[in-house]
Amino acid sequence: MTEGLLRTPLYEEHLALGARMVPFAGFEMPVQYAGIIDEHRAVRTSAGVFDVCHMAEFRVFGFEAFDALQGLVTNDLHKIDEMSKAVYTVMCDEAGGIIDDLIVYHTGDLEYLIIANASNRAVDAEWIAAHLPEGVEFVDESDRTGLIALQGPEAVRIITELAGEEPPARFHIAEARLDESIPVLLARTGYTGEDGVEIVCAATDAAAVWRLLLSFAEVSPCGLGARDTLRLEMGYPLHGTDMDRSIDPISAGLSWVVSMKKADFIGRDVLAAIKEAGPERKLVGLNVSEGVPRHGYPVLHDGVEVGTVASGTFSPNLEHGIATAYVPSALAEPGTCLEITARRKNVSATVVRPPFVTHTSLSA
Amino acid sequence: MNPADLRYDKEHEWVRVEGDTAVIGISDFAQDQLGEVVYVDLPSVGDVLAVGETFGEIESVKSVSELFAPVSGTVVEVNDELDSAPESINSDAYGAGWMVKIKLADPAELDGLMSSVEYDAFVANEA
């Protein structure tokens, strides 16, 4: 089962902590340590640390880097004209299909850092490199880069203590030194709905950073299981589950990252048409009355199948099942009553507008 | 590690015989493999189960598993406490985590189940 799988620089740390390891995006990753629900609650109430070293980091730089990236992604990179700013976006093909979702950080003069999904690393790298003009450099730094997320209401206090200064503001990135020695980039971003940072470091420093964070009693190690329940409670889409190349960002509820104000970018014409006409299907949130909805379960309206569950889980905060699903736009209004076929029986599901959980350290 | 007074099947259910009744739950190994149980779907009192038949479902955050009747019989009691406290299956798989009680249709079926020693060996092979 573990044959051919890659390991992050934190692999030995996970084993020492008794993690349950599973294959994910070609890596052997921790799915849980103490338990998904305990880890989830640690992030909502205190702080949790996640190994996200598997994710891809690309660096793009050169005089035409801005223009080139502006033509590749759907969001308007003028939002990060100011150095140290970051923006969430998707990158589409000519048909408007989502190749990946990314965060682009303005890390230096004429220089950008892109953090992308591990499973899309090769596809993204090929696509981006193929669309850059000569003179713009593209470097895939994933192998030599570590990425560790510290998330939760206590996260900022802890990282402030370790860095000797406050981390940058929300959706900003800045250099820092942890424990006066380890050089890192602190990005005030995350995938949990809680305040916190994502720490970019040399792969060779990842274990030291990990141990520093876990030296705080308030910090729990958290696996992919809690990462998934946390992100789904916020309605954050997961590429490969909630969206893929067959889906456009308008249907996926990501209109807000598609800027029609800017000049041409790949997929613009198709996306403009979809935006104008309105998407045929929309990704909606569903509150489920009983059981736990799972990816692929049929979604029904008046007994007729109208879609399938994209993401589904048990919400530890709400203590019931939650899901996302693509349904016809006419059935996407909050309050619409649908059903989910959960194996042997149908359970009721009510359309809601995510986030499912609204009170977090980010919303406070 | 698994109680010696219980019988076990290959689907990781346990059976405790109390007179002509069988109390049924899932083993400590099974609950550990599942992770935190968040939902259990159990049959109703009066349902008639045949050995090997699916009688319910157990869901953790990450996965869902079917429950298989280790013996045949009629359901005489269901552990309703699990509706509000499914985590009992994790914390006390052989006690508060019991699921159903069945009036045995054929006590001879018990001979087809494993002893705790046999089940320990069976689990050691699966782990």
Side-chain angles (χ1 to χ4, degrees):
Chain A
M1 156 175 148
T2 58
E3 224 169 288
L5 291 176
L6 302 169
R7 291 172 177 178
T8 75
L10 299 175
Y11 177 77
E12 297 294 336
E13 306 294 319
H14 302 318
L15 295 192
L17 289 165
R20 185 166 294 172
M21 306 297 285
V22 297
F24 180 83
F27 284 80
E28 210 173 337
M29 296 297 290
V31 65
Q32 64 168 69
Y33 305 82
I36 294 171
I37 294 176
D38 286 349
E39 293 164 27
H40 179 107
R41 296 210 166 113
V43 174
R44 288 271 181 259
T45 59
S46 179
V49 63
F50 300 81
D51 176 7
V52 277
C53 293
H54 61 306
M55 294 189 76
E57 294 86 13
F58 307 127
R59 209 172 279 274
V60 178
F61 54 97
F63 282 103
E64 292 172 66
F66 176 87
D67 291 339
L69 289 177
Q70 184 78 318
L72 272 171
V73 302
T74 59
N75 211 334
D76 188 353
L77 295 185
H78 278 304
K79 292 175 184 169
I80 59 168
D81 274 342
E82 193 182 314
M83 193 131 36
S84 87
K85 281 195 162 182
V87 69
Y88 175 73
T89 185
V90 296
M91 178 168 73
C92 291
D93 60 22
E94 291 83 355
I98 303 171
I99 297 171
D100 203 0
D101 60 337
L102 320 161
I103 296 184
V104 183
Y105 300 87
H106 190 176
T107 44
D109 289 321
L110 312 174
E111 186 194 80
Y112 299 86
L113 169 69
I114 298 172
I115 299 188
N117 284 297
S119 52
N120 296 327
R121 175 182 167 184
V123 169
D124 290 351
E126 195 179 331
W127 181 267
I128 295 170
H131 287 86
L132 293 178
E134 221 158 291
V136 176
E137 295 292 326
F138 172 88
V139 186
D140 182 343
E141 299 196 325
S142 309
D143 290 337
R144 58 171 180 260
T145 306
L147 186 65
I148 295 171
L150 177 69
Q151 304 274 297
E154 298 296 326
V156 168
R157 185 183 57 75
I158 289 163
I159 203 66
T160 301
E161 198 170 312
L162 280 173
E165 58 183 331
E166 286 245 339
R170 190 75 191 147
F171 270 90
H172 283 69
I173 191 166
E175 287 182 34
R177 270 185 194 270
L178 299 188
D179 208 23
E180 296 182 345
S181 60
I182 307 169
V184 298
L185 289 169
L186 296 180
R188 191 81 169 264
T189 47
Y191 196 46
T192 61
E194 297 297 331
D195 202 354
V197 290
E198 295 179 291
I199 304 164
V200 189
C201 64
T204 47
D205 284 333
V209 172
W210 178 262
R211 288 180 183 194
L212 265 183
L213 297 172
L214 282 177
S215 71
F216 288 78
E218 309 92 303
V219 179
S220 302
C222 299
L224 292 177
R227 190 169 162 80
D228 193 57
T229 54
L230 288 159
R231 71 95 191 163
L232 190 49
E233 280 188 344
M234 304 313 297
Y236 297 158
L238 172 64
H239 195 272
T241 302
D242 293 295
M243 53 190 175
D244 57 39
R245 205 133 167 190
S246 71
I247 292 164
D248 66 86
I250 314 295
S251 304
L254 295 173
S255 294
W256 62 281
V257 306
V258 180
S259 172
M260 291 301 168
K261 280 183 293 184
K262 69 177 191 176
D264 200 32
F265 59 90
I266 298 174
R268 188 184 195 280
D269 294 345
V270 177
L271 296 178
I274 296 171
K275 214 167 185 171
E276 175 69 26
E280 287 175 25
R281 305 175 71 73
K282 285 183 185 169
L283 187 67
V284 297
L286 295 170
N287 271 329
V288 179
S289 60
E290 61 174 289
V292 185
R294 314 271 178 193
H295 179 74
Y297 282 5
V299 177
L300 315 181
H301 178 251
D302 285 344
V304 180
E305 186 168 335
V306 291
T308 56
V309 169
S311 290
T313 195
F314 173 81
S315 160
N317 270 58
L318 302 172
E319 299 189 318
H320 62 67
I322 57 174
T324 59
Y326 281 94
V327 299
S329 296
L331 299 174
E333 277 307 305
T336 306
C337 293
L338 303 173
E339 283 187 312
I340 289 176
T341 304
R343 295 151 66 86
R344 291 177 302 166
K345 63 180 177 188
N346 291 344
V347 297
S348 63
T350 309
V351 174
V352 291
R353 187 168 286 133
F356 295 95
V357 170
T358 47
H359 296 281
T360 71
S361 55
L362 267 190
S363 60
Chain B
M1 58 178 240
N2 293 297
D5 59 327
L6 308 184
R7 309 286 291 177
Y8 303 85
D9 72 8
K10 290 182 175 173
E11 304 292 344
H12 305 285
E13 279 94 11
W14 56 258
V15 176
R16 178 187 297 116
V17 180
E18 294 176 350
D20 61 355
T21 304
V23 186
I24 294 167
I26 64 164
S27 72
D28 193 58
F29 174 81
Q31 69 77 17
D32 185 61
Q33 290 290 305
L34 275 170
E36 296 136 304
V37 176
V38 295
Y39 185 76
V40 196
D41 186 26
L42 296 175
S44 306
V45 169
D47 285 0
V48 178
L49 306 177
V51 63
E53 185 185 351
T54 303
F55 72 89
E57 283 177 1
I58 180 166
E59 303 214 42
S60 65
V61 178
K62 277 308 243 192
S63 65
V64 54
S65 299
E66 294 194 317
L67 298 165
F68 298 95
V71 288
S72 308
T74 306
V75 177
V76 292
E77 199 177 336
V78 175
N79 186 357
D80 295 326
E81 302 285 321
L82 296 179
D83 276 349
S84 55
E87 64 275 12
S88 302
I89 293 167
N90 297 114
S91 59
D92 192 8
Y94 299 114
W98 71 274
M99 294 174 176
V100 293
K101 293 183 183 178
I102 290 177
K103 189 167 191 308
L104 286 166
D106 179 8
E109 285 174 354
L110 295 168
D111 299 336
L113 300 176
M114 288 179 271
S115 69
S116 64
V117 175
E118 290 166 329
Y119 182 67
D120 286 349
F122 178 71
V123 165
N125 268 332
E126 288 220 337

